[in-house]
Amino acid sequence: MKIPSFRRSKTGAVPWQNPTVQVVLASTLLAPLGVPLVAPALPVIRDVFVLTDAEASLLVSAYFIVGIVVSPFVGLLADRIGRKRVLIPALLVFSVAGLACYFAPNYLVLLGLRAIQGTAAAALFVTTVTVIGDVFEGVQRNAVLGANIAILSLGAAVFPVLGGALATVAWNAPFIAYAFGFPVALFAYVALDETVKKPSEESDDASTSSGQTAGYLSGAISALTLGMGALLTTAFITEFFLFGALVTALPFLLTAVYGVGPLYIGLVLMVAEAGAIGAASANGRLAKTLSNGRIITLGFVCYALALAGVYVAPSPVLVMVSVLLFGAGLGLSMPAVDAAVSNRVTQEYRAGLLGLRNSTTFLGRATGPVVFAAAATAVGYRPLMGVAAVALAGVALVAAMTTRGTTQLQETQTGV
């Protein structure tokens, strides 16, 4: 089996012609089909199946909750049998389950299919980022991870419009879009080289395999250092505030304070994705002069300033400007988090640790909306934004005091 050699570049450029990059980005572009595409159709699905709002929202929650549980196991599997052997089945399951939703005869079947999709989506998130960590190093790793986040944000910006348009045709029309996963799976099968060797290729002895598994678990646990814990916490905090403050609380604030409608709210959220695309695309260039820790800190500064801007904004236009800054923070911090995790762990355990990162990400997405919605009933949406800004400023201060200032070109395998 061909194992790609590591590629190191000081230019911070994305090698767009690289088949690995093309496969990863094509797979990542499918991921927003999971929620952004379906979200506009939830009211229609609610009415068709005669559901409550809470029951309809479970179609999103089930997707994320399953991902929280299975992500570490997906990572372990990818470390044990190889990235390609996990990615291609994940693409197929994601597409088959998505298309099957089109034919779902009732709500319970639809909910079950969404849970299956959540499992496949977790595998997509974990394996794509892991492949980048395997194949690229240094500032080029940051550049490709930045491109990955930019593609993810692009899909999150475009797919709600597509999903809303399809939902006007029929409640299940958005699920036709999952057919795009089949050509991507074929492309991955043809173009993607495996990046790790399967242990069984070295020995099929059961006792040896058992020992290797025990050794793997021991090594993966030893990689859970204080610094790794800080990175996982960073991923959780980012998604907690993204889905709590921006995705959940902000639409209610815009409606209650400024009286704007769904179209303007959609434009505001699209502006956030535009900010993420711009900042993520620049991540490789920033990594030439800043460490991952400093980039993450800068991201949290953007979060704090953005929510402070929302808190004091006298008009919805200035809210939109603030949200652009929040998106920029996302584009800065998340590629740097994934790069830092990849830097801190060897290839042997990389998917497992990135699986844990994905679990914390999904946990933030699942808990943020609940916490913010509950807190808003006590203090109101605008004061809540002020409190969130102060909390994020505190996180930024802690990050600034605890991260190192060495650049990516100077960082070692154990650096942040």
Side-chain angles (χ1 to χ4, degrees):
M1 176 178 16
K2 180 181 177 183
I3 308 295
S5 60
F6 284 98
R7 299 165 177 86
R8 180 183 294 274
S9 171
K10 298 182 180 181
T11 65
V14 178
W16 299 105
Q17 301 303 316
N18 186 302
T20 296
V21 172
Q22 294 172 351
V23 168
V24 166
L25 296 186
S27 301
T28 296
L29 185 59
L30 294 175
L33 291 175
V35 174
L37 178 85
V38 176
L42 289 179
V44 182
I45 294 172
R46 176 199 61 194
D47 295 341
V48 168
F49 291 109
V50 193
L51 308 172
T52 65
D53 288 352
E55 288 172 333
S57 68
L58 282 177
L59 295 173
V60 173
S61 299
Y63 185 90
F64 284 131
I65 290 172
V66 171
I68 294 170
V69 176
V70 305
S71 289
F73 299 100
V74 167
L76 184 152
L77 187 65
D79 279 333
R80 300 298 292 157
I81 70 172
R83 319 324 188 192
K84 185 174 181 177
R85 293 182 176 95
V86 173
L87 177 60
I88 293 175
L91 288 166
L92 293 174
V93 171
F94 186 77
S95 302
V96 170
L99 279 176
C101 289
Y102 180 89
F103 302 98
N106 56 57
Y107 169 70
L108 289 179
V109 172
L110 185 61
L111 188 63
L113 290 170
R114 290 290 290 167
I116 294 172
Q117 272 196 298
T119 302
L124 290 181
F125 279 111
V126 173
T127 52
T128 51
V129 175
T130 302
V131 167
I132 295 172
D134 287 345
V135 177
F136 302 99
E137 291 184 319
V139 297
Q140 193 166 52
R141 177 181 286 168
N142 280 76
V144 179
L145 286 169
N148 199 53
I149 291 293
I151 289 293
L152 189 65
S153 298
L154 177 63
V158 173
F159 288 159
V161 179
L162 174 62
L166 290 172
T168 63
V169 177
W171 73 267
N172 53 358
F175 296 103
I176 297 175
Y178 289 102
F180 288 116
F182 295 118
V184 175
L186 179 61
F187 179 43
Y189 178 78
V190 173
L192 184 66
D193 291 323
E194 184 56 83
T195 58
V196 293
K197 286 185 177 180
K198 187 173 67 171
S200 60
E201 290 178 345
E202 299 171 2
S203 174
D204 291 326
D205 182 76
S207 61
T208 302
S209 179
S210 175
Q212 289 172 339
T213 301
Y216 172 87
L217 293 175
S218 176
I221 291 172
S222 68
L224 289 173
T225 60
L226 183 62
M228 185 67 75
L231 291 170
L232 297 179
T233 302
T234 296
F236 169 80
I237 293 173
T238 295
E239 299 294 335
F240 178 86
F241 282 95
L242 171 63
F243 277 75
L246 211 67
V247 176
T248 301
L250 184 63
F252 290 109
L253 183 150
L254 286 168
T255 300
V257 176
Y258 305 104
V260 301
L263 178 59
Y264 192 90
I265 292 172
L267 289 174
V268 169
L269 296 179
M270 187 176 292
V271 165
E273 300 297 345
I277 292 170
S281 299
N283 209 282
R285 295 191 295 274
L286 285 173
K288 292 191 290 184
T289 56
L290 296 174
S291 68
N292 283 315
R294 294 298 195 215
I295 296 174
I296 292 169
T297 301
L298 185 58
F300 274 92
V301 170
C302 289
Y303 297 150
L305 291 175
L307 294 189
V310 171
Y311 173 65
V312 302
S315 71
V317 174
L318 292 180
V319 171
M320 186 178 290
V321 174
S322 298
V323 166
L324 179 69
L325 188 59
F326 194 102
L330 181 67
L332 289 170
S333 64
M334 287 312 295
V337 167
D338 288 335
V341 171
S342 294
N343 290 348
R344 281 180 167 268
V345 66
T346 61
Q347 187 186 55
E348 183 181 2
Y349 308 112
R350 183 169 288 134
L353 270 296
L354 286 169
L356 282 177
R357 197 281 290 165
N358 201 61
S359 287
T360 60
T361 296
F362 277 27
L363 181 62
R365 293 177 180 180
T367 57
V370 176
V371 172
F372 268 78
T377 61
V379 302
Y381 285 107
R382 187 190 284 272
L384 185 58
M385 292 296 182
V387 172
V390 172
L392 287 166
V395 175
L397 180 61
V398 172
M401 295 173 61
T402 56
T403 56
R404 302 192 303 187
T406 52
T407 69
Q408 279 289 294
L409 296 179
Q410 298 169 324
E411 285 180 349
T412 64
Q413 193 72 351
T414 56
V416 183

